[in-house]
Amino acid sequence: MQSEIIIETRNLTKVYRDFWGRQKVRALKALDLEVRRGEIFGLLGPNGSGKTTTIKLLLGLLFPTTGQALVFDRDAREVTKNERIGYLPEESYLYRFLNAEETLDFYGRLFNMSRAVRRQRVADLIEMVGLDWAKRRQLKEYSKGMTRRIGLAQALINDPELIVLDEPTTGLDPIGTREMKDLIIKLRDEGKTVLLCSHLLADVQDVCDRIAILYQGELKEMGRVDSLLKVQDVTEIRVAGLSAIGQEEVKQAIERNNGHVLNIGNPTTTLEDLFLKIIRESEEHPGRRVRGVGEKT
Amino acid sequence: MVIDITDVTPLFTWLLGPEWTEGRLFHPLSLTVFLLLLIAGLLWLVVRLRKGHGSTGRGAAMAIGGGSAAAIVLVALGIIAWKLLLLGKAEEIAWTLPLANFAEGLRNSCFKGLQWLLGSGWHQGALYCWFLVIISAAAAVFVVGGLAAALRRGPIKALETSGRAIGDCALDVVRISPRRVGALAWLAVKESIRRRVVVVFAVFILILLFAGWYLDPGNIDPARLYLNFVLTTTGYLVILLVLFLSSLSLPADIKSRTLHTIVTKPVRSSEVVLGRIAGFTAVATCLLLIMGVISYFFVERGLAHTHEIDADSLKTVEYAVGRPTGRQGVTTLVHEHRHKVVVDPSGNGRVEIEQGHRHELEGDWKELLSKESAGKKYQLGRPEGMLLARVPVYGKLAYRDRKGEPTDKGINVGDEWTYRSYIEGGSLAAAVWTFQGITEERFSDGLPVDMTLGIFRTHKGDIEKGVTGSLLLRNPRAGADVKPTEVQIFESKEFQIDNRLIPREVRTPDGKKVDLFKEFVSDGEVEIWLRCVDMAQYFGVAQADMYLRAHNAPFAWNFAKGYFGIWLLGLLVIALGVLFSTFLSAPVAVLATFGALLGGLFHDFMFRLATHQTYGGGPLESFVRILTQQNVTSEMEPGLRTTLVQTLDQPAKFGLWLLAAVLPDLSRFNVFSKCVAYGFNIPGDTILTYTCRTFAFVLPLFVAAYLCLKNREVAR
């Protein structure tokens, strides 16, 4: 039976030292963490909080000063664990003199995949990230968004069980961001485990099942997103098509039950939703668009 | 120490022999079977390990760590005991004899000429020394690493860590995936192309295009000049290119973080290192192949020329009054030289050697003696003897003094270079070469002798003419009172190889014609004596100055071997560059590789400096000498200053000695280009020796690079 714990850190500490061995900075302090199979786990924190250091320790790019980092029950420095991992770094560190096909084929060879399997997988992934039209162009000609997409494709080349995403939406436009978030959820639905770190709180909130908040190398909070964000002493009722009289009656009923109305009004959508709606409409009806209520006011 | 157990059972006697060394067990056949079984066992283990997954387990790590520590302690105790108890007096330990016999058998049976590799005893060959160095280095690393781990984590944990390190290292080497190495090598090739390797081609072609400006066609040996030029140019360009490629690649990948996406795949550090080495070697191979082909045609076309003989310009020569006459003259001037042409009265003509080559007439020499030749011009063929790969048979040189008595060496004429020793002209002084392996099958036409003589004149004489010498033959098995027979008188040629043929049919002083092989060769041995005929003139000779040319090997093949020498050097530089790039930043790695290259090229000097074989002392003493304007050969004044300076020099000298001991002697690799340029075939065992030497360094360099990369945090 496969273990339900995919990632585990025990008292994981990382101290950066200078050339003479003197302590420069304690980037991570005794981190205890568990990531379970099939969940999207987010590492949150401001710059310098130790998110990327944690990821690098889990991938064996850095070695722990003390403590232990286990991935699939194996030490993080062990190479064979990487067969089941896909990693998208903060910036897509890819060879800019290769084209998309060569890039994916190269990484496929690193997974010891046969030529036939590689060819099929490369074609599927290029189609998935929508770069079919640019697959023969060198990566140095790619925009930042395109580079992120091919970076994601290389992270998925081995159909990994664990996907590690470092700031996955950086450099993406709102459409790309939404597609990335949809893809992360899709991967989770396929049974894969996703570990992502980001400082874009909205992105994390949208996709993560559980999060850990780091600050100055220390774990400050960890738990399910919905339970962490739940405001216990406020009740929210969302109603569609309620008249002004109806609103007044609801208000009175609340006050009768010792409740205190904080706000009654029309909710606003997110800017991301508005943007995507306009883009979708523009694609369906090309030409000048009749502007909505926002401009009139 | 020999334990006699033969009384216990006759089986032991049969197996081990009375002295533990001569039994059936030590028969070469038994040892070969044992060796094959060992190899088969190792192969089986490798296959098993390749199929496995994961790293070294705790139990295995403890076993490996404990076993290694025990082995090191036992060996150390054994050495101490041997040194202390036997005081180093035991010349041979009984158990080494079977191995020595085995090595002897191997050498004599199928691997002739492997003396340097296997040694005269099993423990005197290069292979044994190499194993000893590698195992000692590995043991030193194990001890230092183990002690450091023991201080931090305690002895038990240290044993486990050290054992795991050894186990993982073995697994990382055994489980290397050819596909991954291929992918990484392909990447290195692509990267090299991106780094504009073609620029090197452009520079090479540019140099060749303008070669006419600085290559003097009137040189005394234009073939050597051209060959030296192309081999040196190619060598420098390729070595510099691979130096930069190999030492810049990994640091660039670490800086741009592209390595992050590689090491987060199931790629082992050994594969990253091997991929780089293989990739850059492939680039160097392609470059050398293309440059070699271009260079070959450049040399061939550059040296190709022909001359004409203007029949009217030939003078008639009368050898004897009333007898038919011959003709003599020179060819037209091409490539700043002319050849002397001689046609004897019987119609046999020849073109004299000039600039190391001669030509053949495209026609009949006899026509030049007839009246029909008047007003005609005769075309000569392509140059012959210019691009050669001579296969020499060297002899052993001995000297005779002016009274004809054996002596250790000839006369010192005051030449600073003591390579040659001189024999006096007009006396019985002689240089005697004894050649072996002389058979009729090998030299059916006679003995082709090639000579390069040094000339020392005590008077000007006829400066236009060479000094006269004579070649004599003597049977080495003849009695000491038998004098050598003069077979040829010749006029010396300076600064070039003089080719002479001692024909099979030799005329003795009493006028009898005898067969060379029947009269002078015994058991494949013959003595050739060289004497200087002119009074008060001297011939300078060294052992390699005379050899018999067995035959000529194909020049193109020899040229390719010359390029193989550059390839070997390139491989060493690549391995050094990749090693330094695993733990140094780009500019420092380039400097370190360049330093290692320079150190390798000046290896001999460095070693002499470190072992007090040069004048002037160490760096500090030399500096003091410069400041005080003191001669390097004079002793420093005894005193506190001298003692202080010389003491402070000791660490520097030790550092130099260490460097000289670690670095390969790269200067020796020029034997390849020298052989090609001087027109000698590169022997197979030279190629084998240098190939082994190269891989003997590349292998530990690869392991060191792998360990450095494995223990490096690539994300820092």
Side-chain angles (χ1 to χ4, degrees):
Chain A
M1 187 186 158
Q2 286 184 311
S3 168
E4 283 308 300
I5 306 295
I6 300 294
I7 293 172
E8 187 181 2
T9 67
R10 296 175 194 153
N11 196 29
L12 189 64
T13 304
K14 179 66 190 173
V15 177
Y16 288 113
R17 297 180 191 277
D18 65 7
F19 180 79
W20 307 106
R22 292 174 303 189
Q23 183 173 323
K24 253 167 65 184
V25 62
R26 187 176 279 266
L28 208 58
K29 296 168 192 166
L31 179 69
D32 289 315
L33 202 71
E34 274 185 5
V35 178
R36 294 171 202 138
R37 181 179 296 280
E39 72 175 0
I40 303 173
F41 190 92
L43 279 176
L44 269 178
N47 291 339
S49 58
K51 307 184 296 288
T52 304
T53 299
T54 308
I55 283 189
K56 285 175 177 172
L57 285 164
L58 289 171
L59 291 168
L61 293 170
L62 292 174
F63 307 149
T65 309
T66 53
Q68 214 176 6
L70 298 172
V71 182
F72 297 114
D73 277 337
R74 291 186 199 163
D75 190 273
R77 285 183 68 179
E78 202 179 291
V79 171
T80 48
K81 72 168 194 319
N82 293 344
E83 284 167 9
R84 298 153 74 184
I85 298 179
Y87 169 53
L88 173 68
E90 191 176 350
E91 284 178 37
S92 298
Y93 305 126
L94 303 170
Y95 291 93
R96 289 158 53 80
F97 52 87
L98 302 179
N99 65 33
E101 275 187 332
E102 287 172 338
T103 301
L104 296 186
D105 187 70
F106 167 66
Y107 288 111
R109 286 167 80 182
L110 296 187
F111 280 101
N112 236 344
M113 293 158 75
S114 69
R115 181 189 284 265
V117 174
R118 276 194 331 256
R119 197 173 289 172
Q120 185 59 49
R121 191 86 188 127
V122 168
D124 291 349
L125 283 169
I126 285 180
E127 197 186 333
M128 189 194 90
V129 294
L131 285 174
D132 217 11
W133 56 279
K135 63 184 178 188
R136 299 272 158 78
R137 278 166 56 180
Q138 285 190 329
L139 299 196
K140 65 183 173 195
E141 297 169 17
Y142 275 25
S143 69
K144 195 164 184 186
M146 289 162 79
T147 316
R148 287 307 276 169
R149 286 158 189 251
I150 199 68
L152 179 69
Q154 69 80 26
L156 299 176
I157 188 81
N158 56 326
D159 193 17
E161 289 173 50
L162 168 67
I163 300 139
V164 180
L165 307 170
D166 195 353
E167 306 285 0
T169 53
T170 306
L172 293 178
D173 61 17
I175 304 171
T177 304
R178 172 54 68 90
E179 284 173 355
M180 177 68 85
K181 287 194 280 192
D182 289 347
L183 182 74
I184 292 169
I185 292 166
K186 187 173 159 240
L187 289 169
R188 190 261 319 269
D189 294 344
E190 286 172 4
K192 301 185 190 309
T193 311
V194 181
L195 170 69
L196 67 89
C197 86
S198 178
H199 54 255
L200 300 173
L201 305 180
D203 291 349
V204 174
Q205 185 180 347
D206 283 352
V207 296
C208 286
D209 299 316
R210 288 201 311 137
I211 57 166
I213 297 173
L214 297 174
Y215 181 68
Q216 290 185 342
E218 277 182 295
L219 180 65
K220 296 292 179 188
E221 190 64 77
M222 184 165 73
R224 290 198 63 81
V225 177
D226 45 12
S227 59
L228 284 174
L229 296 183
K230 188 183 277 180
V231 183
Q232 297 291 345
D233 56 347
V234 177
T235 308
E236 188 180 66
I237 302 166
R238 290 165 72 94
V239 183
L242 192 66
S243 64
I245 300 163
Q247 278 184 22
E248 191 54 37
E249 283 177 6
V250 169
K251 196 176 169 185
Q252 285 169 6
I254 290 168
E255 280 169 358
R256 274 201 301 277
N257 286 286
N258 296 325
H260 176 65
V261 178
L262 295 174
N263 177 37
I264 290 184
N266 296 109
T268 53
T269 180
T270 62
L271 193 56
E272 184 187 336
D273 285 341
L274 174 69
F275 177 82
L276 291 173
K277 188 180 160 208
I278 292 169
I279 296 296
R280 219 170 289 128
E281 281 175 7
S282 301
E283 278 174 356
E284 285 167 11
H285 308 288
R288 198 177 172 85
R289 182 175 178 272
V290 180
R291 280 175 291 187
V293 275
E295 197 181 342
K296 290 172 192 165
T297 54
Chain B
M1 186 170 61
V2 177
I3 301 168
D4 187 12
I5 56 160
T6 50
D7 293 335
V8 181
T9 166
L11 181 68
F12 278 106
T13 319
W14 183 78
L15 265 178
L16 303 171
E19 294 287 329
W20 268 47
T21 55
E22 293 154 6
R24 294 280 167 176
L25 202 62
F26 304 121
H27 191 270
L29 190 68
S30 317
L31 285 169
T32 310
V33 170
F34 176 70
L35 208 66
L36 287 175
L37 281 174
L38 194 74
I39 292 168
L42 277 172
L43 283 176
W44 174 82
L45 191 68
V46 166
V47 171
R48 282 293 303 269
L49 287 173
R50 274 185 75 85
K51 281 183 182 168
H53 232 66
S55 61
T56 317
R58 193 165 186 272
M62 282 300 291
I64 295 170
S68 306
I72 289 171
V73 170
L74 279 176
V75 169
L77 286 175
I79 291 170
I80 292 167
W82 187 50
K83 288 280 177 195
L84 287 180
L85 298 177
L86 301 176
L87 300 170
K89 283 176 186 170
E91 286 181 1
E92 194 75 63
I93 309 171
W95 60 269
T96 66
L97 277 174
L99 282 169
N101 293 341
F102 180 59
E104 189 70 29
L106 260 183
R107 223 180 27 254
N108 293 337
S109 57
C110 41
F111 301 118
K112 279 179 182 162
L114 290 185
Q115 178 84 16
W116 60 274
L117 190 66
L118 299 169
S120 57
W122 70 283
H123 58 291
Q124 287 164 355
L127 194 64
Y128 169 77
C129 291
W130 184 79
F131 269 118
L132 204 66
V133 169
I134 295 294
I135 289 171
S136 307
V141 171
F142 179 84
V143 170
V144 173
L147 285 176
L151 284 174
R152 286 177 61 195
R153 301 179 178 182
I156 302 295
K157 197 74 184 165
L159 275 185
E160 187 194 332
T161 313
S162 307
R164 178 164 289 125
I166 295 173
D168 286 353
C169 180
L171 286 178
D172 275 352
V173 174
V174 165
R175 287 182 184 162
I176 284 175
S177 150
R179 187 176 275 145
R180 278 197 285 268
V181 173
L184 290 161
W186 170 83
L187 185 78
V189 173
K190 286 284 262 186
E191 186 194 333
S192 307
I193 295 167
R194 185 186 70 88
R195 284 179 188 265
R196 305 275 184 267
V197 168
V198 276
V199 171
V200 172
F201 271 124
V203 172
F204 182 65
I205 298 294
L206 214 65
I207 291 172
L208 289 194
L209 279 176
F210 292 97
W213 286 5
Y214 39 85
L215 287 183
D216 174 23
N219 188 282
I220 196 157
D221 193 347
R224 189 190 305 169
L225 181 75
Y226 270 67
L227 288 168
N228 252 331
F229 166 72
V230 290
L231 286 162
T232 312
T233 311
T234 317
Y236 278 126
L237 281 175
V238 172
I239 297 302
L240 279 179
L241 176 82
V242 294
L243 186 151
F244 280 105
L245 281 179
S246 59
S247 49
L248 287 177
S249 173
L250 260 179
D253 269 13
I254 290 170
K255 195 178 174 191
S256 67
R257 301 183 185 181
T258 39
L259 197 64
H260 291 195
T261 48
I262 289 180
V263 295
T264 49
K265 306 283 183 281
V267 178
R268 296 166 195 282
S269 304
S270 50
E271 291 164 341
V272 174
V273 171
L274 198 59
R276 303 272 152 170
I277 293 177
F280 296 132
T281 307
V283 172
T285 310
C286 290
L287 272 174
L288 282 172
L289 274 176
I290 299 168
M291 283 178 166
V293 171
I294 294 171
S295 300
Y296 181 78
F297 285 108
F298 171 77
V299 171
E300 254 231 322
R301 298 294 296 270
L303 295 176
H305 68 279
T306 179
H307 300 263
E308 281 183 342
I309 301 172
D310 185 356
D312 293 343
S313 72
L314 297 182
K315 289 175 187 164
T316 304
V317 182
E318 197 175 31
Y319 289 94
V321 182
R323 300 291 297 272
T325 55
R327 298 188 78 182
Q328 201 170 302
V330 289
T331 63
T332 50
L333 182 74
V334 180
H335 278 207
E336 296 182 22
H337 71 279
R338 294 175 198 272
H339 293 266
K340 192 176 169 186
V341 179
V342 180
V343 191
D344 68 18
S346 53
N348 296 321
R350 67 172 191 277
V351 178
E352 294 280 321
I353 292 179
E354 195 61 45
Q355 290 192 347
H357 69 280
R358 58 158 63 96
H359 301 260
E360 281 297 324
L361 181 73
E362 291 176 342
D364 192 1
W365 284 104
K366 282 180 181 161
E367 205 180 308
L368 278 161
L369 295 175
S370 67
K371 287 178 181 170
E372 290 166 19
S373 64
K376 276 191 181 175
K377 285 186 176 173
Y378 292 85
Q379 186 78 30
L380 294 179
R382 291 170 63 82
E384 289 173 8
M386 231 175 183
L387 300 174
L388 291 177
R390 304 177 188 93
V391 179
V393 175
Y394 288 104
K396 203 165 181 305
L397 175 63
Y399 294 93
R400 298 285 169 130
D401 65 13
R402 63 194 322 275
K403 291 176 186 165
E405 297 299 322
T407 177
D408 286 345
K409 54 171 106 171
I411 293 168
N412 183 355
V413 294
D415 195 347
E416 279 182 28
W417 195 42
T418 51
Y419 173 66
R420 287 196 169 104
S421 207
Y422 286 76
I423 51 169
E424 191 182 341
S427 72
L428 291 176
V432 183
W433 280 270
T434 309
F435 294 94
Q436 291 181 324
I438 311 302
T439 57
E440 285 186 60
E441 295 76 37
R442 216 169 165 196
F443 300 97
S444 53
D445 298 331
L447 300 177
V449 178
D450 281 6
M451 289 184 295
T452 322
L453 301 178
I455 314 286
F456 180 75
R457 296 169 190 256
T458 54
H459 61 87
K460 190 173 145 191
D462 184 356
I463 203 74
E464 291 291 315
K465 281 181 70 183
V467 176
T468 312
S470 68
L471 289 175
L472 305 93
L473 288 178
R474 186 177 173 278
N475 191 329
R477 299 283 182 273
D481 53 335
V482 176
K483 289 180 178 169
T485 308
E486 188 171 272
V487 287
Q488 213 168 84
I489 299 277
F490 66 90
E491 194 183 301
S492 70
K493 287 175 180 160
E494 284 183 78
F495 312 115
Q496 57 181 301
I497 296 171
D498 191 6
N499 321 115
R500 313 237 135 237
L501 177 73
I502 301 174
R504 276 195 71 161
E505 205 177 68
V506 176
R507 196 182 286 270
T508 55
D510 52 9
K512 247 180 20 185
K513 282 184 180 175
V514 292
D515 184 57
L516 184 152
F517 286 95
K518 284 183 184 145
E519 191 71 20
F520 300 107
V521 181
S522 280
D523 301 330
E525 281 192 22
V526 66
E527 276 183 13
I528 299 182
W529 292 48
L530 170 78
R531 276 192 179 137
C532 181
V533 175
D534 289 350
M535 287 280 284
Q537 309 288 40
Y538 294 80
F539 279 157
V541 288
Q543 187 153 294
D545 279 342
M546 183 190 283
Y547 57 86
L548 301 180
R549 197 196 308 173
H551 62 272
N552 286 333
F555 171 76
W557 181 231
N558 202 42
F559 191 70
K561 288 183 201 169
Y563 271 76
F564 181 68
I566 302 175
W567 184 86
L568 287 178
L569 189 58
L571 181 59
L572 263 176
V573 173
I574 289 170
L576 281 167
V578 170
L579 167 65
F580 288 126
S581 71
T582 53
F583 64 95
L584 295 173
S585 63
V588 187
V590 170
L591 271 179
T593 315
F594 194 70
L597 180 65
L598 275 185
L601 290 174
F602 293 99
H603 182 277
D604 191 41
F605 173 70
M606 215 156 66
F607 195 76
R608 280 188 291 119
L609 199 64
T611 50
H612 310 278
Q613 292 178 43
T614 50
Y615 294 115
L620 202 63
E621 189 183 323
S622 306
F623 185 64
V624 170
R625 281 175 189 274
I626 291 170
L627 284 184
T628 54
Q629 297 185 340
Q630 204 171 337
N631 195 317
V632 288
T633 51
S634 59
E635 286 289 322
M636 294 269 282
E637 268 183 46
L640 182 65
R641 191 185 68 178
T642 304
T643 313
L644 191 70
V645 163
Q646 287 176 345
T647 310
L648 288 173
D649 263 341
Q650 289 309 314
K653 284 192 171 181
F654 176 72
L656 272 179
W657 176 83
L658 207 63
L659 264 179
V662 170
L663 286 175
D665 187 354
L666 301 179
S667 62
R668 292 192 180 201
F669 280 78
N670 68 7
V671 70
F672 285 86
S673 51
K674 269 193 175 168
C675 274
V676 176
Y678 283 77
F680 289 98
N681 180 49
I682 302 167
D685 56 353
T686 302
I687 294 175
L688 185 67
T689 308
Y690 280 84
T691 309
C692 289
R693 189 175 281 181
T694 305
F695 282 95
F697 275 98
V698 168
L699 207 63
L701 286 175
F702 158 69
V703 174
Y706 150 69
L707 289 174
C708 288
L709 189 62
K710 188 180 169 69
N711 293 299
R712 176 175 181 169
E713 293 181 307
V714 291
R716 282 203 73 176

